[in-house]
Amino acid sequence: MFLIVKELQPSIRLRKLEALLRRLPSHHRERRRVEDEYARRMAGYRGEQSVGYHLIPMLSKEFLVLYDLRMQKNSSFYQMDIQILTPAFFVILEVKNMSGTLCFDQPFSQLIRTINGKEEAFACPIVQVKRQANYLENWASVYRIPVHSYVVISNPATIIKSIPAYSDIVVKTVIHAAAVEEKITSLRTRYREPLMSPKELFKLSKKLKNLHVPDNPDLLSMFQIRRNELLTGVHCPSCSSIPMRKISGAWSCRKCGCLTKTAHLNTLDDYVLLLGTSITNRQVREFLQVSSTFSASKLLASLNLSHTGTYRNRAYLLPVLT
Ligand SMILES: [Zn+2]
């Protein structure tokens, strides 16, 4: 039986941002915004990773974990960082990897972060996690399973504060990563009676996993970047330098000396992440900087892709990334 029902892995959005940074010229006007968004998303991913380590000692067949589940109801999305399902209770963890001092200001539904003397406001994660808990409660309503939700601060050096009138709710809801195990243990003591069989629980976890809707934005339109602004050429899988040169059947990196026969596959992944799954012979030549039609055809043939259209405007379908 799988204990981690949905694994933690870099999201498609994170992989798209990584590909865009590789292919956006260093002086590009949007580069800073893309870098900021990438840094924020990467910090979120690292935060979930570090909280994940604290869950490992608790894993058992009656303790199922789902990472990054994003579900849709009407036009609303419910993105939950970590879901823990047990036969007696469910837990949602909203992970915040933020440094500095965090002050929870409930009446205004704000989280105010102070770092290096600068204040910045964010949407309150307590409100967010309560909303997610209500949504999950609906799913578990037949079994009357209690759902608990916490905001987990993954950076141990972060200082947590609240305005005095709301310190109770903050103390109950906001915890450091190191306190996760203790919280779960106390819930185990509180809810001893299983309300579902392990089989029912596993079935429900699969059902939730199947409802996942990946966050898959079109980054070029989001940042208003034209496709002809992207750097082309095969990138080095070791140092990301562009372009690699083809020397007697292998791709060679001028910068780090890396020599590989498969670098074009990583570059085609970048193409899918940024431009889509349909590619023509001409587009292969442009994106990979391959000069001859014959070499591009040979490369496409080696991939065994399905295609549409007649010979001259044939479009090949690259595999969708999941
Ligand atoms: Zn290199």
Side-chain angles (χ1 to χ4, degrees):
M1 184 181 275
F2 297 106
L3 312 170
I4 296 179
V5 180
K6 188 173 179 296
E7 299 272 352
L8 177 64
Q9 53 184 22
S11 66
I12 293 180
R13 185 190 279 260
L14 190 60
R15 287 163 70 195
K16 284 188 163 188
L17 286 162
E18 212 166 57
L20 184 54
L21 282 178
R22 241 189 319 263
R23 300 201 166 264
L24 210 52
S26 53
H27 57 270
H28 194 278
R29 61 185 187 282
E30 288 299 323
R31 184 139 189 125
R32 185 64 194 276
R33 266 180 72 209
V34 180
E35 278 169 352
D36 287 351
E37 161 103 10
Y38 175 75
R40 218 160 43 80
R41 300 272 169 185
M42 195 59 183
Y45 176 67
R46 296 269 182 245
E48 283 181 55
Q49 254 181 343
S50 69
V51 174
Y53 295 130
H54 293 278
L55 301 178
I56 294 168
M58 289 179 273
L59 291 179
S60 73
K61 67 178 180 175
E62 292 188 352
F63 189 102
L64 308 179
V65 176
L66 294 102
Y67 285 98
D68 287 333
L69 199 66
R70 184 170 178 265
M71 295 191 285
Q72 184 172 17
K73 190 186 177 192
N74 304 324
S75 57
S76 305
F77 284 96
Y78 296 82
Q79 171 131 21
M80 305 181 205
D81 289 346
I82 304 177
Q83 265 185 39
I84 300 163
L85 311 180
T86 82
F89 61 91
F90 292 174
V91 176
I92 299 172
L93 303 178
E94 171 69 23
V95 181
K96 292 287 166 210
N97 187 0
M98 295 168 104
S99 38
T101 299
L102 302 179
C103 181
F104 288 83
D105 186 1
Q106 276 281 301
F108 295 104
S109 298
Q110 273 184 326
L111 167 64
I112 297 157
R113 189 258 293 265
T114 311
I115 190 164
N116 304 327
K118 220 181 90 190
E119 276 194 340
E120 207 179 338
F122 299 88
C124 180
I126 297 179
V127 176
Q128 200 183 339
V129 85
K130 295 283 173 218
R131 185 176 158 265
Q132 293 164 359
N134 286 340
Y135 179 71
L136 191 61
E137 254 160 25
N138 290 336
W139 271 98
S141 63
V142 192
Y143 303 101
R144 298 182 173 279
I145 295 245
V147 179
H148 286 259
S149 53
Y150 301 97
V151 174
V152 184
I153 309 300
S154 61
N155 185 340
T158 302
I159 297 163
I160 305 168
K161 285 184 176 175
S162 112
I163 62 159
Y166 293 91
S167 57
D168 271 4
I169 183 162
V170 173
V171 167
K172 275 187 194 144
T173 319
V174 184
I175 54 175
H176 269 124
V180 168
E181 196 177 343
E182 190 195 314
K183 275 278 179 213
I184 307 272
T185 307
S186 78
L187 289 174
R188 270 180 161 163
T189 317
R190 184 168 158 196
Y191 302 110
R192 288 173 186 278
E193 200 62 45
L195 300 163
M196 298 173 86
S197 69
K199 203 175 159 188
E200 283 172 322
L201 184 71
F202 190 63
K203 224 170 129 183
L204 179 73
S205 73
K206 287 302 232 187
K207 204 165 162 184
L208 292 172
K209 187 187 173 186
N210 289 337
L211 287 168
H212 174 66
V213 183
D215 179 22
N216 191 3
D218 177 351
L219 288 194
L220 293 198
S221 68
M222 210 174 106
F223 289 102
Q224 297 190 314
I225 296 165
R226 290 186 304 275
R227 59 191 290 157
N228 63 9
E229 292 178 280
L230 298 177
L231 299 173
T232 60
V234 170
H235 71 267
C236 170
S238 308
C239 75
S240 284
S241 163
I242 295 179
M244 295 185 94
R245 284 176 307 169
K246 191 98 184 244
I247 297 169
S248 48
W251 299 101
S252 144
C253 175
R254 251 175 282 207
K255 203 170 164 193
C256 75
C258 171
L259 202 66
T260 158
K261 286 193 170 176
T262 55
H264 59 283
L265 299 177
N266 305 79
T267 299
L268 288 171
D269 284 349
D270 275 8
Y271 185 95
V272 173
L273 289 166
L274 300 173
L275 300 168
T277 50
S278 167
I279 194 164
T280 62
N281 184 295
R282 186 175 57 82
Q283 286 165 333
V284 168
R285 280 179 277 141
E286 281 169 6
F287 201 73
L288 275 69
Q289 291 186 8
V290 173
S291 51
S292 89
T293 313
F294 176 72
S295 308
S297 298
K298 219 171 94 181
L299 190 147
L300 280 164
S302 73
L303 300 172
N304 284 321
L305 304 170
S306 59
H307 51 78
T308 57
T310 52
Y311 180 73
R312 286 189 71 84
N313 40 38
R314 180 173 284 179
Y316 295 82
L317 269 183
L318 293 162
V320 180
L321 298 168
T322 51

